[in-house]
């Protein structure tokens, strides 16, 4: 989480997921298929854990390149990479980064990636590798003690943004036009004023997400209203919209966003404290984030990560410490389909889905 510290096989595979849920799968696991549905869903999809070799690390940063290649990042300056579908993981952490908290990573392929370390002042840094993590270059180090960077995102291989909690009453946006090699702070005059106590949550690398060449959304919490800010010009100007996800406390708000195009998006969040309920912790938009509606059947608990299933216009997964939920109707209704703990989820077009979280947990969706 931000200052508190708590804190992408479609086709048959994902159509089967929808069939399982429609038939009434038990909340315990995707593999718990009722008797009358066993024949048509003989190979029900499920999360298959992969041995990361890092049980002491919490992995909140995840970038899925393909069904075979993925990068994860987490506590103790850890960055891991697989190119064999998770059968093995190579520790490619930047040297001298053991005191850093990596919360977001964006990979372009098996060799090129950009990773964000969070924290106040110089703890917020950006590194880039062009050789699969064999070497890293520090591309940005925050020197403003008031700034705290939470998330980053890329529109393409060159253009990307990172966001900081408010400085001088506005969220601060960092921009790159060369793939993350150099960064500059954008002017703040196009950013709406922040609410008192408003900030981002560095919980899953999904508090700042892009879709298409210019659209980007920023999720907030910790204030009276949980909001989503939208820019259609790569972060120069922004508009803010309230969401129905409860806020009013530093631990509550929108934690993760996913847009399948520039119009249709999902938001998840809640209250990250395990002893607090998280009602109405999911919302959806059909107009690019100008308006948000609560889910009819929301996720049952706090969720920090969300991802659209590839090649689907209506199905998505949401994850959190108490389980995985599935929607097959564009976020109107959610059903818990797995009880494992994950903080973030990402899916690829080839297709494949990955999840990561506490105790070095990494999983891939298998059929």
């Amino acid at each position: 989480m931000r200052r508190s510290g708590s804190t992408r096989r479609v086709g048959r595979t994902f159509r089967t997921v929808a069939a399982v849920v429609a038939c009434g799968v038990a909340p315990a696991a995707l593999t718990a298929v009722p008797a009358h549905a066993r024949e048509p869903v003989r190979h029900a999809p499920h999360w298959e854990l992969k041995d990361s070799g890092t049980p002491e690390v919490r992995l909140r940063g995840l970038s899925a390149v393909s069904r075979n290649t993925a990068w994860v990042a987490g506590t103790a300056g850890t960055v891991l990479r697989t190119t064999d579908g998770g059968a093995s993981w190579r520790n490619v952490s930047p040297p001298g980064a053991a005191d850093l908290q990596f919360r977001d990573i964006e990979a372009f392929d098996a060799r090129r990636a950009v990773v964000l370390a969070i924290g106040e002042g110089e703890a917020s840094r950006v590194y880039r590798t062009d050789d699969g993590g064999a070497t890293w270059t520090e591309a940005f180090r925050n020197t403003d003690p008031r700034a705290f960077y939470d998330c980053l995102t890329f529109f393409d291989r060159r253009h990307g943004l990172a966001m900081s909690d408010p400085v001088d009453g506005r969220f601060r946006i960092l921009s790159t036009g060369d793939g993350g090699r150099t960064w500059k702070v954008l002017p703040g005059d196009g950013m709406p004023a922040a609410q008192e106590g408003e900030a981002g949550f560095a919980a899953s690398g999904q508090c700042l997400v892009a879709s298409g060449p210019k659209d980007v959304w920023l999720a907030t919490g910790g204030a009276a209203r949980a909001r989503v800010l939208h820019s259609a010009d790569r972060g120069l100007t922004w508009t803010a919209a309230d969401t129905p996800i409860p806020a009013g406390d530093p631990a509550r708000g929108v934690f993760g966003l996913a847009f399948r195009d520039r119009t249709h998006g999902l938001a998840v969040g809640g209250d990250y404290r395990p002893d607090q309920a998280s009602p109405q912790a999911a919302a959806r938009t059909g107009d690019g984030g100008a308006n948000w509606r609560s889910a009819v059947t929301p996720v049952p608990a706090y969720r920090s990560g969300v991802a659209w299933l590839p090649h689907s216009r209506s199905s998505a997964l949401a994850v959190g410490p108490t389980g995985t939920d599935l929607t097959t109707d564009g976020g109107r209704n959610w059903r818990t389909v797995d009880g494992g703990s994950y903080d973030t989820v990402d899916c690829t077009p080839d297709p494949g889905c990955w999840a990561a979280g506490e105790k070095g947990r990494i999983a891939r969706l298998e059929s």
Side-chain angles (χ1 to χ4, degrees), residues 303-328:
R303 296 293 183 254
S304 53
V306 61
W308 290 93
L309 297 184
H311 314 296
S312 174
R313 297 178 61 84
S314 59
S315 297
L317 294 171
V319 300
T322 62
T324 298
D325 307 304
L326 172 73
T327 180
T328 59

Side-chain angles (χ1 to χ4, degrees), residues 257-354:
L257 296 170
F259 277 78
R260 67 171 173 83
D261 52 39
R262 68 187 308 267
T263 302
H264 300 88
L266 301 170
V268 297
D271 191 317
Y272 70 73
R273 296 170 296 190
D275 60 338
Q276 298 294 314
S278 292
Q280 296 181 312
R284 68 193 192 276
T285 181
D287 57 10
N291 295 280
W292 292 86
R293 292 175 289 174
S294 292
V296 177
T297 306
V299 295
Y302 159 70
R303 296 293 183 254
S304 53
V306 61
W308 290 93
L309 297 184
H311 314 296
S312 174
R313 297 178 61 84
S314 59
S315 297
L317 294 171
V319 300
T322 62
T324 298
D325 307 304
L326 172 73
T327 180
T328 59
D329 57 8
R332 293 173 179 82
N333 297 281
W334 294 87
R335 174 78 64 91
T336 302
V337 293
D338 184 86
S341 175
Y342 300 102
D343 292 314
T344 187
V345 59
D346 197 15
C347 297
T348 63
D350 59 347
C353 280
W354 297 81

